[in-house]
Amino acid sequence: DAKTTQPNSMESNEEEPVHLPCNHSTISGTDYIHWYRQLPSQGPEYVIHGLTSNVNNRMASLAIAEDRKSSTLILHRATLRDAAVYYCILRDSYGGSQGNLIFGKGTKLSVKP
Amino acid sequence: SQTIHQWPATLVQPVGSPLSLECTVEGTSNPNLYWYRQAAGRGLQLLFYSVGIGQISSEVPQNLSASRPQDRQFILSSKKLLLSDSGFYLCAWSVLGNTIYFGEGSWLTVV
């Protein structure tokens, strides 16, 4: 399975942008880049996903490098509710066992008021 | 809209006792279903996934089993719990290749 590498933790100030990096140098052509986040004592929550082009939604933006070997999740204005563990995951578009989400350790984001 | 329910939310079980966690999905047909476990302070580990009724794939050898008796029902079981089975158990679903949605989770403490 293609692996991802993320920093263990990051800190941000409230109301400031946050850039969460992810390296995935062994990504294959059919892998989508997914981001989930997990708040304490809750199940993971979908944030955003993309294949090649940058993506925006109401929660965040996803910037994907041209060679697709890295990506960055961007929270435009961090709030205290954004404090969570953020997971960057590669998921094969064909589903089945290759489409399963394999979680790494993620990045624990702390937001300071 | 689709919803996922899993229960019980919390349980404390003695070592050697059986386990049954149940998960149901509403509002979709023929979903892929998943059971994950998260030990304290660790990441999520995929335990089982199912692409259809009666079709179960196990990702890791363990003391647990899973069954899918109906299209939108997924059950996690154990005949005899071990201390190491303690953790946060999450059921999840997806339609092929798309976003995976997680339930609220079940906290299991084996004592």
Side-chain angles (χ1 to χ4, degrees):
Chain A
D1 294 329
K3 301 282 189 225
T4 63
T5 304
Q6 300 175 253
N8 289 333
S9 62
M10 290 185 64
E11 279 192 354
S12 172
N13 294 317
E14 198 176 10
E15 307 262 321
E16 291 184 355
V18 182
H19 290 233
L20 297 164
C22 181
N23 289 321
H24 29 78
S25 59
T26 59
I27 191 171
S28 73
T30 55
D31 283 335
Y32 279 80
I33 302 160
H34 285 246
W35 283 83
Y36 284 72
R37 71 179 185 182
Q38 186 177 21
L39 279 65
S41 299
Q42 295 186 27
E45 173 189 29
Y46 168 80
V47 177
I48 200 167
H49 78 282
L51 185 62
T52 56
S53 303
N54 294 344
V55 184
N56 299 295
N57 67 21
R58 62 175 180 81
M59 291 181 69
S61 295
L62 176 60
I64 301 173
E66 195 169 335
D67 63 5
R68 299 204 333 121
K69 293 186 177 182
S70 65
S71 60
T72 302
L73 179 70
I74 302 166
L75 307 179
H76 296 287
R77 290 181 64 203
T79 69
L80 297 178
R81 289 174 294 178
D82 291 323
V85 178
Y86 287 78
Y87 296 98
C88 168
I89 304 159
L90 302 182
R91 188 176 188 208
D92 189 277
S93 59
Y94 292 108
S97 62
Q98 296 169 310
N100 292 335
L101 285 181
I102 307 298
F103 286 78
K105 295 186 178 180
T107 297
K108 184 174 183 178
L109 175 66
S110 302
V111 180
K112 295 183 290 184
Chain B
S1 63
Q2 301 88 359
T3 57
I4 179 170
H5 304 283
Q6 68 174 101
W7 67 92
T10 60
L11 65 166
V12 179
Q13 295 283 101
V15 169
S17 65
L19 170 72
S20 181
L21 298 178
E22 189 165 341
C23 172
T24 59
V25 179
E26 297 175 359
T28 187
S29 296
N30 197 30
N32 286 358
L33 296 172
Y34 309 84
W35 278 110
Y36 286 84
R37 176 173 62 197
Q38 187 170 35
R42 304 185 69 176
L44 279 84
Q45 179 186 35
L46 178 63
L47 302 176
F48 300 96
Y49 71 94
S50 171
V51 299
I53 296 174
Q55 300 178 63
I56 309 295
S57 297
S58 174
E59 288 292 297
V60 294
Q62 59 209 315
N63 184 42
L64 303 168
S65 62
S67 62
R68 184 169 177 174
Q70 300 181 44
D71 181 44
R72 289 170 288 177
Q73 183 185 27
F74 206 23
I75 299 171
L76 183 70
S77 304
S78 174
K79 292 182 179 178
K80 289 185 177 181
L81 284 169
L82 307 172
L83 286 174
S84 57
D85 292 323
S86 294
F88 188 45
Y89 288 81
L90 287 154
C91 181
W93 71 273
S94 75
V95 174
L96 191 66
N98 290 329
T99 301
I100 291 183
Y101 298 94
F102 289 83
E104 302 91 348
S106 298
W107 286 99
L108 170 65
T109 303
V110 182
V111 295

